[in-house]
Amino acid sequence: MAARFVGAGWSSRSSSWYGYEVETSWCQMEIEPVDGPDVLLNGVVDPTRLDELGRLLSYFGLRYELELSDENNTPVREIRG
């Protein structure tokens, strides 16, 4: 999965045995494998570019649920694709 982000111009580095950090100027995420085919993405994104992240995941052919939370960890927006 990290290679897909690198192909889209993001930077990537290994962060654990199986995890990777991917980053661009407006987003930094940790990619962690979980049971089955799913992958957990956790990180920080510019709120004005959440839809752009969703479009990128769709371009990769992935189904996703993205949740944006405020500084109190209260969900403020969710998108699915």
Side-chain angles (χ1 to χ4, degrees):
M1 162 106 28
R4 292 177 180 179
F5 281 94
V6 170
W10 294 46
S11 63
S12 173
R13 68 178 183 193
S14 177
S15 60
S16 68
W17 284 104
Y18 302 105
Y20 287 87
E21 267 185 23
V22 292
E23 183 174 1
T24 191
S25 63
W26 51 270
C27 184
Q28 180 182 9
M29 292 187 301
E30 184 82 20
I31 301 173
E32 291 288 338
V34 294
D35 292 335
D38 295 333
V39 174
L40 175 64
L41 301 175
N42 184 29
V44 179
V45 61
D46 177 340
T48 66
R49 297 184 88 165
L50 186 64
D51 290 322
E52 186 173 345
L53 178 58
R55 284 191 297 274
L56 183 62
L57 295 173
S58 291
Y59 174 76
F60 292 159
L62 302 173
R63 295 183 63 194
Y64 62 87
E65 293 181 27
L66 298 174
E67 183 178 281
L68 184 64
S69 300
D70 66 13
E71 63 277 350
N72 296 317
N73 217 20
T74 303
V76 294
R77 185 162 177 235
E78 184 176 310
I79 62 172
R80 296 172 189 218

